[in-house]
mmCIF file with all atom_site columns, all heavy atoms in Angstrom:
data_model
loop_
_atom_site.group_PDB
_atom_site.id
_atom_site.type_symbol
_atom_site.label_atom_id
_atom_site.label_alt_id
_atom_site.label_comp_id
_atom_site.label_asym_id
_atom_site.label_entity_id
_atom_site.label_seq_id
_atom_site.pdbx_PDB_ins_code
_atom_site.Cartn_x
_atom_site.Cartn_y
_atom_site.Cartn_z
_atom_site.occupancy
_atom_site.B_iso_or_equiv
_atom_site.pdbx_formal_charge
_atom_site.auth_seq_id
_atom_site.auth_comp_id
_atom_site.auth_asym_id
_atom_site.auth_atom_id
_atom_site.pdbx_PDB_model_num
ATOM 1  N N   . LEU A 1 198 ? 23.697 86.662 12.328 1.00 98.00 ? 198 LEU A N   1
ATOM 2  C CA  . LEU A 1 198 ? 22.803 86.695 13.483 1.00 98.00 ? 198 LEU A CA  1
ATOM 3  C C   . LEU A 1 198 ? 23.007 85.482 14.381 1.00 98.00 ? 198 LEU A C   1
ATOM 4  O O   . LEU A 1 198 ? 22.876 85.573 15.606 1.00 98.00 ? 198 LEU A O   1
ATOM 5  C CB  . LEU A 1 198 ? 21.355 86.798 13.011 1.00 98.00 ? 198 LEU A CB  1
ATOM 6  C CG  . LEU A 1 198 ? 21.003 88.131 12.350 1.00 98.00 ? 198 LEU A CG  1
ATOM 7  C CD1 . LEU A 1 198 ? 19.612 88.080 11.726 1.00 98.00 ? 198 LEU A CD1 1
ATOM 8  C CD2 . LEU A 1 198 ? 21.097 89.277 13.355 1.00 98.00 ? 198 LEU A CD2 1
ATOM 9  N N   . ALA A 1 199 ? 23.340 84.323 13.799 1.00 97.00 ? 199 ALA A N   1
ATOM 10 C CA  . ALA A 1 199 ? 23.611 83.139 14.617 1.00 97.00 ? 199 ALA A CA  1
ATOM 11 C C   . ALA A 1 199 ? 24.842 83.346 15.470 1.00 97.00 ? 199 ALA A C   1
ATOM 12 O O   . ALA A 1 199 ? 24.870 82.973 16.652 1.00 97.00 ? 199 ALA A O   1
ATOM 13 C CB  . ALA A 1 199 ? 23.781 81.913 13.721 1.00 97.00 ? 199 ALA A CB  1
ATOM 14 N N   . ASN A 1 200 ? 25.878 83.936 14.890 1.00 96.00 ? 200 ASN A N   1
ATOM 15 C CA  . ASN A 1 200 ? 27.110 84.163 15.649 1.00 96.00 ? 200 ASN A CA  1
ATOM 16 C C   . ASN A 1 200 ? 26.953 85.218 16.727 1.00 96.00 ? 200 ASN A C   1
ATOM 17 O O   . ASN A 1 200 ? 27.406 85.029 17.862 1.00 96.00 ? 200 ASN A O   1
ATOM 18 C CB  . ASN A 1 200 ? 28.254 84.534 14.700 1.00 96.00 ? 200 ASN A CB  1
ATOM 19 C CG  . ASN A 1 200 ? 28.920 83.325 14.071 1.00 96.00 ? 200 ASN A CG  1
ATOM 20 O OD1 . ASN A 1 200 ? 29.419 82.455 14.764 1.00 96.00 ? 200 ASN A OD1 1
ATOM 21 N ND2 . ASN A 1 200 ? 28.925 83.265 12.741 1.00 96.00 ? 200 ASN A ND2 1
ATOM 22 N N   . VAL A 1 201 ? 26.298 86.322 16.411 1.00 96.00 ? 201 VAL A N   1
ATOM 23 C CA  . VAL A 1 201 ? 26.131 87.353 17.444 1.00 96.00 ? 201 VAL A CA  1
ATOM 24 C C   . VAL A 1 201 ? 25.168 86.867 18.529 1.00 96.00 ? 201 VAL A C   1
ATOM 25 O O   . VAL A 1 201 ? 25.316 87.217 19.706 1.00 96.00 ? 201 VAL A O   1
ATOM 26 C CB  . VAL A 1 201 ? 25.661 88.703 16.858 1.00 96.00 ? 201 VAL A CB  1
ATOM 27 C CG1 . VAL A 1 201 ? 26.678 89.224 15.836 1.00 96.00 ? 201 VAL A CG1 1
ATOM 28 C CG2 . VAL A 1 201 ? 24.274 88.623 16.245 1.00 96.00 ? 201 VAL A CG2 1
ATOM 29 N N   . GLY A 1 202 ? 24.198 86.049 18.123 1.00 95.00 ? 202 GLY A N   1
ATOM 30 C CA  . GLY A 1 202 ? 23.306 85.477 19.124 1.00 95.00 ? 202 GLY A CA  1
ATOM 31 C C   . GLY A 1 202 ? 24.071 84.584 20.083 1.00 95.00 ? 202 GLY A C   1
ATOM 32 O O   . GLY A 1 202 ? 23.830 84.593 21.298 1.00 95.00 ? 202 GLY A O   1
ATOM 33 N N   . HIS A 1 203 ? 25.004 83.805 19.553 1.00 94.00 ? 203 HIS A N   1
ATOM 34 C CA  . HIS A 1 203 ? 25.817 82.926 20.388 1.00 94.00 ? 203 HIS A CA  1
ATOM 35 C C   . HIS A 1 203 ? 26.698 83.746 21.330 1.00 94.00 ? 203 HIS A C   1
ATOM 36 O O   . HIS A 1 203 ? 26.862 83.386 22.506 1.00 94.00 ? 203 HIS A O   1
ATOM 37 C CB  . HIS A 1 203 ? 26.687 82.036 19.503 1.00 94.00 ? 203 HIS A CB  1
ATOM 38 C CG  . HIS A 1 203 ? 27.550 81.088 20.278 1.00 94.00 ? 203 HIS A CG  1
ATOM 39 N ND1 . HIS A 1 203 ? 27.107 79.850 20.688 1.00 94.00 ? 203 HIS A ND1 1
ATOM 40 C CD2 . HIS A 1 203 ? 28.829 81.201 20.747 1.00 94.00 ? 203 HIS A CD2 1
ATOM 41 C CE1 . HIS A 1 203 ? 28.063 79.232 21.364 1.00 94.00 ? 203 HIS A CE1 1
ATOM 42 N NE2 . HIS A 1 203 ? 29.125 80.032 21.401 1.00 94.00 ? 203 HIS A NE2 1
ATOM 43 N N   . GLU A 1 204 ? 27.266 84.815 20.818 1.00 93.00 ? 204 GLU A N   1
ATOM 44 C CA  . GLU A 1 204 ? 28.183 85.631 21.630 1.00 93.00 ? 204 GLU A CA  1
ATOM 45 C C   . GLU A 1 204 ? 27.476 86.323 22.783 1.00 93.00 ? 204 GLU A C   1
ATOM 46 O O   . GLU A 1 204 ? 28.107 86.668 23.784 1.00 93.00 ? 204 GLU A O   1
ATOM 47 C CB  . GLU A 1 204 ? 28.851 86.697 20.739 1.00 93.00 ? 204 GLU A CB  1
ATOM 48 C CG  . GLU A 1 204 ? 29.762 86.143 19.661 1.00 93.00 ? 204 GLU A CG  1
ATOM 49 C CD  . GLU A 1 204 ? 31.012 85.484 20.234 1.00 93.00 ? 204 GLU A CD  1
ATOM 50 O OE1 . GLU A 1 204 ? 31.651 86.087 21.114 1.00 93.00 ? 204 GLU A OE1 1
ATOM 51 O OE2 . GLU A 1 204 ? 31.321 84.357 19.816 1.00 93.00 ? 204 GLU A OE2 1
ATOM 52 N N   . THR A 1 205 ? 26.186 86.552 22.661 1.00 94.00 ? 205 THR A N   1
ATOM 53 C CA  . THR A 1 205 ? 25.457 87.367 23.640 1.00 94.00 ? 205 THR A CA  1
ATOM 54 C C   . THR A 1 205 ? 24.355 86.600 24.371 1.00 94.00 ? 205 THR A C   1
ATOM 55 O O   . THR A 1 205 ? 23.516 87.219 25.028 1.00 94.00 ? 205 THR A O   1
ATOM 56 C CB  . THR A 1 205 ? 24.819 88.580 22.945 1.00 94.00 ? 205 THR A CB  1
ATOM 57 O OG1 . THR A 1 205 ? 23.950 88.104 21.889 1.00 94.00 ? 205 THR A OG1 1
ATOM 58 C CG2 . THR A 1 205 ? 25.869 89.494 22.351 1.00 94.00 ? 205 THR A CG2 1
ATOM 59 N N   . GLY A 1 206 ? 24.352 85.279 24.233 1.00 93.00 ? 206 GLY A N   1
ATOM 60 C CA  . GLY A 1 206 ? 23.310 84.508 24.890 1.00 93.00 ? 206 GLY A CA  1
ATOM 61 C C   . GLY A 1 206 ? 21.928 84.779 24.345 1.00 93.00 ? 206 GLY A C   1
ATOM 62 O O   . GLY A 1 206 ? 20.950 84.835 25.101 1.00 93.00 ? 206 GLY A O   1
ATOM 63 N N   . GLY A 1 207 ? 21.844 84.949 23.003 1.00 95.00 ? 207 GLY A N   1
ATOM 64 C CA  . GLY A 1 207 ? 20.551 85.235 22.386 1.00 95.00 ? 207 GLY A CA  1
ATOM 65 C C   . GLY A 1 207 ? 20.220 86.705 22.391 1.00 95.00 ? 207 GLY A C   1
ATOM 66 O O   . GLY A 1 207 ? 19.043 87.088 22.538 1.00 95.00 ? 207 GLY A O   1
ATOM 67 N N   . LEU A 1 208 ? 21.235 87.547 22.219 1.00 95.00 ? 208 LEU A N   1
ATOM 68 C CA  . LEU A 1 208 ? 21.088 89.013 22.274 1.00 95.00 ? 208 LEU A CA  1
ATOM 69 C C   . LEU A 1 208 ? 20.523 89.441 23.629 1.00 95.00 ? 208 LEU A C   1
ATOM 70 O O   . LEU A 1 208 ? 19.675 90.333 23.715 1.00 95.00 ? 208 LEU A O   1
ATOM 71 C CB  . LEU A 1 208 ? 20.196 89.541 21.144 1.00 95.00 ? 208 LEU A CB  1
ATOM 72 C CG  . LEU A 1 208 ? 20.765 89.442 19.722 1.00 95.00 ? 208 LEU A CG  1
ATOM 73 C CD1 . LEU A 1 208 ? 19.843 90.135 18.729 1.00 95.00 ? 208 LEU A CD1 1
ATOM 74 C CD2 . LEU A 1 208 ? 22.172 90.041 19.627 1.00 95.00 ? 208 LEU A CD2 1
ATOM 75 N N   . VAL A 1 209 ? 21.025 88.826 24.668 1.00 95.00 ? 209 VAL A N   1
ATOM 76 C CA  . VAL A 1 209 ? 20.624 89.184 26.030 1.00 95.00 ? 209 VAL A CA  1
ATOM 77 C C   . VAL A 1 209 ? 21.675 90.083 26.690 1.00 95.00 ? 209 VAL A C   1
ATOM 78 O O   . VAL A 1 209 ? 21.357 91.109 27.282 1.00 95.00 ? 209 VAL A O   1
ATOM 79 C CB  . VAL A 1 209 ? 20.409 87.919 26.882 1.00 95.00 ? 209 VAL A CB  1
ATOM 80 C CG1 . VAL A 1 209 ? 20.199 88.281 28.349 1.00 95.00 ? 209 VAL A CG1 1
ATOM 81 C CG2 . VAL A 1 209 ? 19.209 87.132 26.364 1.00 95.00 ? 209 VAL A CG2 1
ATOM 82 N N   . HIS A 1 210 ? 22.952 89.710 26.565 1.00 95.00 ? 210 HIS A N   1
ATOM 83 C CA  . HIS A 1 210 ? 24.014 90.435 27.252 1.00 95.00 ? 210 HIS A CA  1
ATOM 84 C C   . HIS A 1 210 ? 24.555 91.573 26.388 1.00 95.00 ? 210 HIS A C   1
ATOM 85 O O   . HIS A 1 210 ? 24.920 91.361 25.231 1.00 95.00 ? 210 HIS A O   1
ATOM 86 C CB  . HIS A 1 210 ? 25.153 89.490 27.628 1.00 95.00 ? 210 HIS A CB  1
ATOM 87 C CG  . HIS A 1 210 ? 24.711 88.353 28.484 1.00 95.00 ? 210 HIS A CG  1
ATOM 88 N ND1 . HIS A 1 210 ? 24.063 88.527 29.690 1.00 95.00 ? 210 HIS A ND1 1
ATOM 89 C CD2 . HIS A 1 210 ? 24.802 87.006 28.311 1.00 95.00 ? 210 HIS A CD2 1
ATOM 90 C CE1 . HIS A 1 210 ? 23.770 87.357 30.220 1.00 95.00 ? 210 HIS A CE1 1
ATOM 91 N NE2 . HIS A 1 210 ? 24.211 86.409 29.407 1.00 95.00 ? 210 HIS A NE2 1
ATOM 92 N N   . ILE A 1 211 ? 24.627 92.741 26.962 1.00 96.00 ? 211 ILE A N   1
ATOM 93 C CA  . ILE A 1 211 ? 25.178 93.907 26.256 1.00 96.00 ? 211 ILE A CA  1
ATOM 94 C C   . ILE A 1 211 ? 26.674 94.016 26.520 1.00 96.00 ? 211 ILE A C   1
ATOM 95 O O   . ILE A 1 211 ? 27.444 94.400 25.641 1.00 96.00 ? 211 ILE A O   1
ATOM 96 C CB  . ILE A 1 211 ? 24.473 95.200 26.714 1.00 96.00 ? 211 ILE A CB  1
ATOM 97 C CG1 . ILE A 1 211 ? 22.961 95.091 26.478 1.00 96.00 ? 211 ILE A CG1 1
ATOM 98 C CG2 . ILE A 1 211 ? 25.033 96.419 25.989 1.00 96.00 ? 211 ILE A CG2 1
ATOM 99 C CD1 . ILE A 1 211 ? 22.174 96.234 27.082 1.00 96.00 ? 211 ILE A CD1 1
#
Side-chain angles (χ1 to χ4, degrees):
L198 292 172
N200 277 302
V201 301
H203 181 87
E204 295 293 313
T205 58
L208 291 186
V209 171
H210 302 304
I211 303 172

